[in-house]
Amino acid sequence: AVVGSNVFVIETLGKTVEVKPFSDECSMLNNVPIVDALAKWDNPFTGESHILMFKNALYVESMTHNLIPPFLMREAGVIVNDVPKIHVKDPQIEDHSVYFSDEEVKIPMSLDGIFSYFPTSKPTEQDIEECDEILMLTPTGSWDPHAETYARNEDAMLDHEGNMVDKKKRIQI
């Protein structure tokens, strides 16, 4: 995950990374700090506010938005329905949303052009103190986005003919 100026940094983890851009024509970002941060989401229908936590996120203060891969949210146990309602044959309220099942909080997503998002803002210290619960957007432990186990576990879902392996015979690494 990459967070920007609209988060409240609760801890700088003392680590930095170099971030390679999508193209060699773009310059590398050096010494990008890794942080734990909080963002606030205001439910536009109920007016209720929720605090969302990003663990081990890259902090690029000049950004005015946050980037979070759906894969990462799913690793944290969040249900991500990232297909826009306009692309669903029979759209339901659950489509194009992020759902925290334990807390029963559903965040509807919107589109900015072709990009899915939900608006967040920087919480104040008072917002943080008054919140009843913090919703985890990312896994709590350390993890390696380049770990081969993700690909190996995905490959293990199919047999040698490309069919799904029976659930009781699946191996998870």
Side-chain angles (χ1 to χ4, degrees), residues 14-171:
K15 298 177 184 176
T16 62
V17 295
E18 291 182 353
V19 179
K20 184 176 180 178
F22 62 90
S23 169
D24 289 338
E25 295 173 5
C26 300
S27 60
M28 176 126 26
L29 293 176
N30 297 307
N31 299 316
V32 175
I34 299 175
V35 302
D36 291 343
L38 301 173
K40 183 174 83 164
W41 173 70
D42 295 315
N43 186 323
F45 305 107
T46 67
E48 195 174 22
S49 294
H50 296 278
I51 302 296
L52 311 170
M53 178 175 276
F54 295 85
K55 297 285 283 181
N56 300 305
L58 305 180
Y59 182 52
V60 180
E61 190 174 6
S62 62
M63 287 180 30
T64 58
H65 56 278
N66 304 312
L67 303 173
I68 183 163
F71 184 97
L72 193 55
M73 288 189 281
R74 289 182 181 110
E75 282 289 300
V78 179
I79 298 168
V80 181
N81 297 311
D82 52 354
V83 177
K85 288 176 176 59
I86 60 173
H87 289 158
V88 177
K89 184 176 183 177
D90 183 24
Q92 304 296 314
I93 195 68
E94 297 83 19
D95 293 315
H96 210 217
S97 70
V98 175
Y99 183 65
F100 299 85
S101 59
D102 290 346
E103 297 84 0
E104 297 184 1
V105 173
K106 181 179 56 67
I107 299 176
M109 289 194 278
S110 298
L111 287 174
D112 183 2
I114 61 168
F115 297 99
S116 297
Y117 79 99
F118 57 90
T120 60
S121 60
K122 184 175 185 173
T124 64
E125 288 186 32
Q126 182 177 352
D127 291 330
I128 297 166
E129 289 172 10
E130 292 176 355
C131 81
D132 294 330
E133 61 194 350
I134 294 178
L135 305 173
M136 299 299 295
L137 275 172
T138 58
T140 55
S142 64
W143 67 284
D144 178 2
H146 303 290
E148 292 180 19
T149 54
Y150 299 116
R152 291 170 63 194
N153 285 333
E154 181 72 9
D155 292 344
M157 300 293 281
L158 302 179
D159 67 15
H160 67 284
E161 295 177 331
N163 299 310
M164 288 297 297
V165 172
D166 187 67
K167 192 172 186 171
K168 60 186 169 210
K169 293 182 180 180
R170 291 182 194 156
I171 299 170

